Amino acid sequence: MANNEELFKKIISHSKEYGFIFPSSEIYDGLSAVYDYGQYGVELKNNIKNYWWKAMVQFNENIVGIDTAIFMHPTIWKASGHVDAFSDPLIDNKDSKKRYRADVLVEEHVAKIEDKIRKEVEKAAKRFGDAFDEQQFVGTNARVVEYQTKIDAINKRLNQSLEANDLADVKKLIEELEIVCPVSGSRNWTEVRQFNLMFSTQMGSVSEDANQIYLRPETAQGIFVNYLNVQKSGRMKIPFGIAQIGKAFRNEIVARQFIFRMREFEQMEMQYFVKPGEELQWFEYWKDLRLKWHYSLGLPKNKYRIHNHEKLAHYANAACDIEFEFPFGFKELEGIHSRTDFDLNAHQKFSGKKLQFFDPETNESYVPYVVETSIGVDRMFLAILSYAYNEEVLEDGSTRVVLSILPVLAPIKAAILPLMKKDGLPEKAREIMDVLKYDFLCQYDEKDAIGRRYRRQDAIGTPYCITVDHQTLQDNTVTIRERDTMKQERIAIDKIAAIVEDKISFKKAFTQ
Ligand code: GAP
């Protein structure tokens, strides 16, 4: 298998070639960090959303789903803190006119020093062979210790300046480290300034009446401002949850790594409203449950790790990320946050409306605490794709690309293939398709040799290929070929539906 960078490039080109993901506005040379989902991409994406929705809403009696508008009252973003604090420090290079995140420039500089350490370790490991003790080497080798001291000092200074919002010092640090623009190669930098990540637009047709509104940067606030509507109309008792799937928008400065960091993306969020004092218990509960959900997707456990936040946002009293090993390393896939009563309190204050829960057992009213689970649909899509993409060398020496996607998530569940385009085989195949299509998504394909058709279905992750041949006309049997093993079996037509249904069963995926 190719190295990770090569693998990542292959995944990106496979996504385009097979109709999963296209660069947005491609015939106009694209729009940076914006992507379109193609005919198979949209199916996989919908299946991921459905898998989450079933797990969160359908399988939990006390969680309900909503769908709130992208446009919201602008004061919501003042209350949530996004107007004042949802920003990244940016810096421009005056020669290339390229814009960078100042903290990322420093982090990339640190990564280069880390690389030097790695090289020293590799060299020493070769020199000492089996007797090599990496821990001892890293702790005692003069050059490595010097590199590590440098890294620690840089990280400390960056954190301190960012925390104190001392942007002049961040610029000074960039200058002292002699960081150059990767495009122009120059050190001709502007000042560092905070850049708010929210997109804004105007509401109202007459410019004098125009009211600046924002495209939501997270779906969570739509849940918070509807807390009371849902609680009252659904007669919900604490603890209960509200879930939502929807688009979010962020004007990311550093937008790369394909669909990992986009400017328009989709989130699946759930806010769980709990009694104050019980939030840390529920935080652990959701951490555990969300990990189980991930494991049920068939990706290996060692591809996941938990990163507990040491430094917490001012509104949180516990937070962690579920990280996934993407081809470019372990990165955040989902966030789980104990957000206290920060958001509901802020909305009470800014709206002047009470957002409380009356507990009939204790006769007390209180503002609930919230535990949030928040995952990006697109990142989950990328995680699944990066693990599922496999190049296999077959026994006859040929190769095939197969997407080993969990069958319940696969875009097409079964392909119906007449062996030849004559002798009534296409008609028989369509007859079968007309029965199966009501239960799951099938695809009819009669073009090219059967082997090539199998490869096309492997490349989009179709769990089953059903081939209709001359024997079918005589005894109503077909061959069914399984994607991963490539094994073929002769079965009666009326058994197809049950076999496929069993393979794509939600229940099986969740409970196995
Ligand atoms: N309501 C909490 C919240 O929005 P976040 O950590 O900023 O928290 C949650 O985002 C998740 O949304 C992330 O774990 C990630 O999966 C996804 N996400 C965030 N920014 C993204 C972007 N620019 N592109 C794609 N996904 C993104």
Side-chain angles (χ1 to χ4, degrees):
M1 180 49 69
N3 72 32
N4 287 349
E5 207 174 308
E6 238 178 86
L7 169 69
F8 191 37
K9 279 189 195 150
K10 284 183 179 180
I11 290 167
I12 296 171
S13 64
H14 188 86
S15 298
K16 184 167 174 224
E17 189 182 345
Y18 283 92
F20 282 86
I21 298 168
F22 308 124
S24 162
S25 325
E26 198 185 8
I27 59 168
Y28 291 94
D29 296 332
L31 188 64
S32 165
V34 186
Y35 290 89
D36 297 335
Y37 284 81
Q39 64 276 29
Y40 299 123
V42 69
E43 297 295 341
L44 174 54
K45 195 179 185 206
N46 283 341
N47 293 341
I48 293 171
K49 291 194 271 186
N50 199 18
Y51 197 85
W52 182 88
W53 193 264
K54 272 185 191 280
M56 302 301 272
V57 177
Q58 196 169 331
F59 299 166
N60 287 292
E61 275 176 39
N62 65 344
I63 299 183
V64 293
I66 58 171
D67 180 19
T68 69
I70 287 170
F71 294 146
M72 298 170 80
H73 195 287
T75 311
I76 286 171
W77 305 111
K78 191 84 191 140
S80 68
H82 284 83
V83 169
D84 296 322
F86 192 57
S87 50
D88 282 337
L90 72 83
I91 189 165
D92 293 316
N93 182 269
K94 290 182 194 162
D95 298 319
S96 67
K97 310 269 183 265
K98 290 274 171 207
R99 179 163 288 177
Y100 300 93
R101 254 177 72 173
D103 53 336
V104 171
L105 280 182
V106 176
E107 279 162 14
E108 282 172 352
H109 181 84
V110 165
K112 281 186 194 150
I113 309 177
E114 282 168 346
D115 257 357
K116 287 184 186 167
I117 295 182
R118 236 186 321 276
K119 284 202 180 109
E120 291 293 335
V121 171
E122 277 167 17
K123 263 198 315 202
K126 261 196 206 144
R127 207 167 52 237
F128 293 113
D130 286 345
F132 182 59
D133 179 342
E134 182 173 333
Q135 219 176 349
Q136 193 195 3
F137 176 78
V138 168
T140 52
N141 178 274
R143 197 171 291 165
V144 171
V145 170
E146 191 190 320
Y147 286 146
Q148 192 56 52
T149 313
K150 219 185 245 177
I151 289 173
D152 294 343
I154 297 171
N155 282 340
K156 192 170 164 206
R157 169 117 169 250
L158 179 67
N159 283 338
Q160 275 173 350
S161 334
L162 287 176
E163 240 165 66
N165 204 21
D166 185 353
L167 300 181
D169 194 57
V170 178
K171 178 173 183 197
K172 226 165 117 203
L173 181 62
I174 289 173
E175 284 170 342
E176 281 170 25
L177 296 174
E178 301 185 347
I179 295 176
V180 298
C181 166
V183 177
S184 69
S186 87
R187 283 188 245 148
N188 196 5
W189 297 110
T190 62
E191 298 306 309
V192 177
R193 49 196 195 284
Q194 289 291 1
F195 176 79
N196 194 291
L197 298 183
M198 283 197 295
F199 285 100
S200 65
T201 186
Q202 264 77 41
M203 192 172 245
S205 50
V206 186
S207 64
E208 283 81 22
D209 297 332
N211 203 349
Q212 189 182 36
I213 56 164
Y214 300 98
L215 273 69
R216 65 180 177 199
E218 61 171 16
T219 60
Q221 297 304 325
I223 293 178
F224 287 124
V225 299
N226 277 292
Y227 155 75
L228 211 54
N229 282 336
V230 174
Q231 193 271 318
K232 290 231 176 298
S233 61
R235 292 178 292 120
M236 308 299 289
K237 300 233 170 0
I238 273 183
F240 75 93
I242 306 178
Q244 158 152 250
I245 300 177
K247 289 265 184 167
F249 304 82
R250 295 181 191 179
N251 200 356
E252 301 281 2
I253 303 164
V254 181
R256 33 163 211 225
Q257 290 163 327
F258 194 36
I259 55 169
F260 180 81
R261 198 177 301 285
M262 301 156 90
R263 296 204 164 105
E264 174 178 342
F265 57 101
E266 223 168 334
Q267 288 185 317
M268 305 190 279
E269 298 201 295
M270 193 275 304
Q271 317 295 132
Y272 204 65
F273 299 91
V274 305
K275 200 169 173 176
E278 294 183 358
E279 71 279 6
L280 294 181
Q281 235 167 285
W282 286 113
F283 174 74
E284 292 302 325
Y285 173 87
W286 280 108
K287 199 158 119 178
D288 191 45
L289 217 61
R290 291 303 303 147
L291 260 182
K292 285 198 177 119
W293 182 87
H294 282 281
Y295 294 160
S296 77
L297 294 170
L299 310 175
K301 288 186 180 174
N302 66 3
K303 289 260 160 199
Y304 289 95
R305 72 180 187 197
I306 293 272
H307 169 235
N308 289 310
H309 290 199
E310 304 288 325
K311 258 192 353 209
L312 294 169
H314 59 282
Y315 52 78
N317 64 1
C320 74
D321 297 334
I322 296 178
E323 295 186 339
F324 183 80
E325 192 178 13
F326 291 95
F328 39 85
F330 272 100
K331 295 271 174 225
E332 176 186 341
L333 171 59
E334 170 158 7
I336 299 166
H337 315 116
S338 173
R339 295 178 72 127
T340 68
D341 56 356
F342 172 83
D343 301 87
L344 288 182
N345 259 338
H347 290 306
Q348 282 198 141
K349 191 170 138 215
F350 278 79
S351 68
K353 310 280 181 343
K354 275 197 170 159
L355 297 173
Q356 300 189 343
F357 176 73
F358 175 71
D359 187 338
E361 278 164 28
T362 59
N363 265 346
E364 273 174 352
S365 289
Y366 59 83
V367 177
Y369 270 40
V370 171
V371 174
E372 163 185 77
T373 72
S374 174
I375 173 168
V377 180
D378 314 271
R379 279 193 196 175
M380 193 63 243
F381 189 109
L382 183 58
I384 287 170
L385 211 59
S386 35
Y387 180 69
Y389 180 92
N390 280 304
E391 289 173 9
E392 288 179 1
V393 180
L394 306 179
E395 274 172 15
D396 64 2
S398 64
T399 55
R400 71 162 182 163
V401 171
V402 56
L403 285 191
S404 302
I405 303 174
L406 190 71
V408 66
L409 301 180
I412 307 287
K413 307 302 188 198
I416 319 293
L417 316 169
L419 189 61
M420 290 175 182
K421 239 196 297 185
K422 57 181 187 184
D423 302 337
L425 299 185
E427 290 75 9
K428 187 72 183 171
R430 288 215 181 270
E431 229 178 73
I432 297 173
M433 170 107 178
D434 280 344
V435 175
L436 296 179
K437 72 182 181 192
Y438 293 100
D439 295 323
F440 39 78
L441 192 57
C442 302
Q443 188 172 72
Y444 176 85
D445 188 6
E446 60 177 24
K447 199 168 170 286
D448 297 325
I450 193 75
R452 289 186 69 176
R453 282 182 270 167
Y454 286 157
R455 291 289 172 277
R456 275 204 293 271
Q457 295 301 329
D458 290 343
I460 59 169
T462 306
Y464 285 119
C465 286
I466 315 288
T467 306
V468 175
D469 56 19
H470 290 92
Q471 194 182 327
T472 312
L473 303 179
Q474 286 157 15
D475 64 4
N476 269 330
T477 62
V478 290
T479 59
I480 184 162
R481 173 189 179 269
E482 202 270 334
R483 177 193 70 198
D484 297 334
T485 58
M486 292 185 286
K487 283 216 175 95
Q488 299 191 22
E489 219 189 312
R490 189 115 211 144
I491 57 161
I493 289 175
D494 58 12
K495 294 268 183 325
I496 302 173
I499 291 176
V500 180
E501 291 284 8
D502 182 61
K503 187 91 168 170
I504 63 172
S505 150
F506 272 101
K507 193 171 172 187
K508 249 184 148 173
F510 277 125
T511 51
Q512 254 174 18

